[in-house]
Structures are given as C-alpha cells and as structure tokens.
Amino acid sequence: MALPAPTLTADTARWFRRQARTVAPRVRLVCFPHAGGAASLYRDWSDGLPSGIEVLAARLPARQDRFREPPVEHMDELADRIAEALRPLLDLPYAFFGHSLGADVAYEVARRLEREHAGSPERIFVSGAPAPHISEPVDVDSYDDPALVAEIQRLGAPHTELLDDPELAALLLPSLRADYRLSARYRPTLAELDPVRAPITALVGDADPLVPVEDALQWSRLTTGGFNHRVYPGDHFYLERHRKALLRLVQAVLLPA
C-alpha cells in the first residue's frame, strides 16, 4: 500500500510549499527562486510533471506569506537554515532546481547536506546562472528604485508589471535589494568551493544578457558526479517560455523510462 506524503513540521512548512499533494512520490524536486522571486514561480510545475515527482518550492523570508520576516543577506546563513529545514524531507530521493540566484542556493545547500553526511541530490539543475566563482555581482546600491525596476523588467522577469504600481513596488523592492546584496557578498573563489557528488545539469537561454553559455558551462568544475547542459532559445527567463520542454527534461532525468 502506498504511504502518504509526510506531514511537514512547522519549520519545514515555513520554508517549503508543497505545490500539490502527491500520495506516493518517488522523488522530490526542491525548487529555489531567483533574486526577488518567490515560491509562486513554481506554482504550476506539478501540473506538468507526473505524480511520481513531488514539487516543493522554497519559501524565503521577506516575501509573500513571510513578508514580515527580515530578509537573509548572507549565503551561509540562508543555506544553513534551508538545509536544516529540509532534513525531514530526506526520506526519499530528491533533486534541486535553482534559477539564477536560486542555483547558487541549491548548490550551497547540497554542499552542506553532503558535508554532514545527510545524503546528496539525485541531480542539481542550475538555471540561468554562471558558476559562482566567475559570476559578476550587480552593485544594487548604485540603482535607485526606478533604475532597479527598469533592470528587472529588461531581464524579462515574470509579473514585473506589478512594479509599475508605486505601492506594490515599495513592498517588493526591499526583498529584491536584499537578494542582490546577498549575491554580491557571495564571491567564492574556485579553491573555496567543494565539488559536489551530485551530477549537475546547467540550463541557459542563448540570449541571456547576464549568463553567456560558456559561463554556465563552468559549473562542470563543481561536480564529480557528471555534468551536462541544455541551451534554450530565450533570455534570462527562458524557462517561462519553454516550461513544457524544461519539465519534459526534468521528468526524463528524474524518472527515466
């Protein structure tokens, strides 16, 4: 008889949203959003994946239903807290998907779990992100609010029309700035980064203004478990346009026929 999915503890439920309840998942896909993004980025992913894959989306402080919590502006603190909250969900095989800043978060959480002998992801999908040792930080403090809004809209982020409303922008921009500061402070050298055992798949748009394909390929230096990549037509948020193809790839990797 199939066992029901475990009930999330209070702390785990605070950090992860189960996008759709799956009675008998075979693998969990834990998804991390881009800078300023939220769990809602992955709200429809369960519809495009078979029931054997349970989608969990990271719920980060300072946005949506954690709006009143202060943001986390240091990668070590964020990855430590996520890794701890994730522990009750390690009873099944799991994989990570992270877009942009979320790719760095996924990698750092995987490093911690492996270092603490708490298992390793079946796969880490790093999307729209250069390898962390070669990424160039954005000096977010040099942007006033209109310039920051213009930059985010230039990148094609979903739902950026909300930022045209001054009241909504005042609510949304603080978490975005905090995420950019976190990214700017996360400046590891290659020597400081431990290759993970988990295989890595790098995904990138061919017209991404932030991530040349060759920068995405540098993730190959951060794994001993195997590396491949896929290039899609599109910009930094190619995954919105190519969601069906992307989810077919995720399914083929996590639940091969």
Side-chain angles (χ1 to χ4, degrees):
M1 179 181 297
L3 296 176
T7 301
L8 274 59
T9 66
D11 189 55
T12 301
R14 190 162 59 97
W15 279 94
F16 300 103
R17 176 180 296 161
R18 182 180 283 140
Q19 298 300 72
R21 181 169 288 277
T22 301
V23 174
R26 293 164 53 190
V27 61
R28 293 193 172 101
L29 179 64
V30 184
C31 301
F32 301 92
H34 56 279
S40 57
L41 177 69
Y42 303 105
R43 64 186 179 279
D44 298 327
W45 278 35
S46 292
D47 297 337
L49 291 168
S51 60
I53 300 176
E54 181 178 66
V55 178
L56 297 169
R59 307 166 70 183
L60 304 184
R63 66 212 73 198
Q64 292 190 337
D65 42 8
R66 299 186 68 182
F67 170 72
R68 295 187 182 279
E69 299 181 39
V72 179
E73 297 191 12
H74 296 276
M75 180 64 79
D76 283 346
E77 178 187 353
L78 182 62
D80 285 347
R81 292 174 66 182
I82 290 173
E84 183 62 28
L86 190 61
R87 288 182 179 278
L89 297 167
L90 302 184
D91 59 315
L92 286 179
Y94 61 94
F96 290 163
F97 184 101
H99 182 66
S100 198
L101 175 63
D104 293 334
V105 176
Y107 164 74
E108 285 293 338
V109 173
R111 285 180 70 194
R112 282 155 174 76
L113 295 177
E114 291 189 354
R115 188 170 61 226
E116 298 163 9
H117 307 289
S120 180
E122 299 290 303
R123 175 82 54 167
I124 305 173
F125 298 94
V126 293
S127 169
H133 59 284
I134 61 169
S135 60
E136 293 293 333
V138 173
D139 180 13
V140 69
D141 292 323
S142 69
Y143 286 74
D144 60 15
D145 284 354
L148 184 57
V149 169
E151 174 65 9
I152 297 305
Q153 292 178 333
R154 178 182 75 89
L155 295 176
H159 310 304
T160 54
E161 69 279 0
L162 298 176
L163 296 173
D164 292 330
D165 183 316
E167 293 185 359
L168 287 176
L171 294 175
L172 297 173
L173 287 178
S175 63
L176 178 62
R177 287 189 179 278
D179 284 354
Y180 270 106
R181 291 191 186 102
L182 183 153
S183 180
R185 290 168 176 161
Y186 178 60
R187 307 263 49 90
T189 65
L190 183 60
E192 294 171 325
L193 298 174
D194 307 318
V196 294
R197 297 191 302 275
I200 291 178
T201 295
L203 309 164
V204 65
D206 62 0
D208 190 329
L210 296 182
V211 190
V213 173
E214 57 268 24
D215 288 0
L217 297 180
Q218 290 297 311
W219 282 99
S220 64
R221 305 186 69 178
L222 299 181
T223 175
T224 61
F227 174 83
N228 58 19
H229 76 284
R230 183 71 61 87
V231 180
Y232 292 89
D235 56 18
H236 191 58
F237 286 92
Y238 75 90
L239 69 171
E240 290 294 298
R241 175 180 169 192
H242 298 288
R243 181 180 302 176
K244 289 183 179 179
L246 180 60
L247 294 183
R248 284 196 300 269
L249 172 66
V250 169
Q251 177 180 343
V253 170
L254 299 184
L255 293 180

